[in-house]
Amino acid sequence: MSQVNNPVAIDNDGSAVLERNVEPSKQLAHTVAEAVELYDVDRTAAHIAEGGYSRVALQFPDELLADSTLVSAALQERTEARVFILADTSYGSCCVDEVAAEHYAADAVVHYGRTCLSLTTRLPVVYVFGRDAVDVADLCAQCESELQGSRVLLVSDVQYAHALEDIGKALRGICKEVVVSRIAVQDCAYVPGAEDAAEPGRLWELEHPIGEYTMLYVGEESLTLTNLLVTQRCQSAFSYAPQTRTLRAESARVNRHLSRRYHMVQRARDANVVGIVVGTLAAVRYQSVVDALK
């Protein structure tokens, strides 16, 4: 079984967080009932009760903050724990902000929205990815000419993980073989240091060498996609962006993140002196990485 963990942001100099415009998500809830379903409130409450947590931090990205009070109220009704909202994580909201949570003596974190699946060091985490819509029929129609008779490794960004099984079933009528990946913490909490704890990451099992597979990534261009393209030596790769309903063959020519990564790696090779700045918001094993780079 293969597992891929969080991406390395070698193409990100931090300017994006200063320049970006924050827009509310199109998937926002309008009622408590919608929030309960969209944010898996009952499953989250069950994890909180099972873990015996008493102070739980809810971490929302900026685009989902409008729903935070609905979710908080719904969770408070279903658990005996005290829940509170973290609303001060702007840079690296895809990472679990253990530092901010520990400032309020939290003993667990619920992380909402997109995540890079970085490992945490101390606090247990419940991940709630969300359920962004995917037009499965359109995806299959566009893939038919490109993937006919191929062996396909199907992966996705976290907010589309709920649709992978349906996509896989539809593609099996087109492809020679379809391997559907899964996210290890999709249905369970991550508890650092616990025996047999599932670590955040993507899992799959292949019957043939990975070089015989074509990767199909469901999601928009991101560091997650770049990480998969760099680390997994598939014979080819395609991505389908549900927001724009576009399919494209991936390469450095069309992928901005991948192109910039190659550029930055080359600049690092040509440099005489390299400074290393490490963001340790929720990054374990960073010291061993720094030692290896030295």
Side-chain angles (χ1 to χ4, degrees):
M1 179 179 291
S2 299
Q3 176 163 351
V4 178
N5 296 104
N6 52 300
V8 178
I10 197 171
D11 70 329
N12 184 358
D13 62 3
S15 60
V17 73
L18 301 175
E19 299 170 356
R20 70 187 176 111
N21 294 320
V22 177
E23 296 183 3
S25 170
K26 297 178 181 179
Q27 303 291 325
L28 291 177
H30 300 288
T31 65
V32 173
E34 288 183 5
V36 168
E37 180 178 0
L38 183 62
Y39 293 96
D40 288 340
V41 169
D42 290 329
R43 177 179 70 87
T44 305
H47 284 310
I48 293 172
E50 181 181 351
Y53 307 126
S54 59
R55 293 178 61 83
V56 180
L58 310 183
Q59 181 181 337
F60 291 83
D62 293 342
E63 62 269 19
L64 296 179
L65 273 176
D67 280 347
S68 61
T69 54
L70 287 176
V71 176
S72 176
L75 275 175
Q76 196 68 75
E77 291 177 356
R78 289 164 171 77
T79 70
E80 297 181 359
R82 181 180 179 183
V83 299
F84 51 91
I85 300 164
L86 296 181
D88 57 353
T89 303
S90 293
Y91 184 78
S93 62
C94 61
C95 297
V96 177
D97 194 345
E98 285 189 290
V99 176
E102 289 183 329
H103 285 168
Y104 297 96
D107 53 11
V109 179
V110 182
H111 184 282
Y112 293 94
R114 281 204 72 253
T115 173
C116 56
L117 300 173
S118 297
L119 298 177
T120 56
T121 57
R122 299 173 295 278
L123 295 180
V125 184
V126 177
Y127 289 96
V128 180
F129 301 141
R131 296 172 175 270
D132 287 6
V134 182
D135 189 334
V136 177
D138 179 72
L139 184 156
C140 291
Q142 293 197 49
C143 287
E144 186 169 3
S145 61
E146 301 288 354
L147 301 180
Q148 184 77 42
S150 300
R151 288 192 170 94
V152 173
L153 172 58
L154 181 62
V155 295
S156 76
D157 211 341
V158 294
Q159 65 269 38
Y160 303 112
H162 68 95
L164 285 190
E165 287 295 339
D166 290 338
I167 296 171
K169 290 178 182 177
L171 287 175
R172 287 188 177 99
I174 301 171
C175 305
K176 183 177 182 179
E177 178 190 357
V178 178
V179 175
V180 179
S181 67
R182 64 183 179 86
I183 298 175
V185 292
Q186 188 168 350
D187 299 313
C188 63
Y190 171 55
V191 183
E195 187 175 352
D196 299 327
E199 288 192 353
R202 290 167 176 80
L203 304 171
W204 57 74
E205 294 184 8
L206 305 179
E207 295 182 358
H208 304 275
I210 195 167
E212 297 183 17
Y213 289 82
T214 294
M215 182 188 298
L216 175 59
Y217 175 85
V218 181
E220 282 64 44
E221 184 176 315
S222 65
L223 287 174
T224 300
L225 172 58
T226 302
N227 184 56
L228 289 166
L229 293 175
V230 169
T231 59
Q232 306 305 310
R233 300 299 184 182
C234 295
Q235 66 177 5
S236 59
F238 291 84
S239 67
Y240 177 83
Q243 293 182 9
T244 57
R245 298 187 180 186
T246 55
L247 178 76
R248 76 179 187 189
E250 288 295 332
S251 69
R253 181 175 299 176
V254 299
N255 189 305
R256 293 178 297 108
H257 283 93
L258 189 60
S259 177
R260 181 169 173 79
R261 182 187 179 100
Y262 289 152
H263 173 69
M264 296 300 290
V265 168
Q266 189 58 51
R267 287 189 62 183
R269 286 175 176 170
D270 295 339
N272 293 321
V273 179
V274 177
I276 302 174
V277 180
V278 181
T280 58
L281 186 66
V284 301
R285 304 169 190 162
Y286 66 88
Q287 189 59 57
S288 60
V289 173
V290 171
D291 292 340
L293 287 172
K294 288 181 179 179

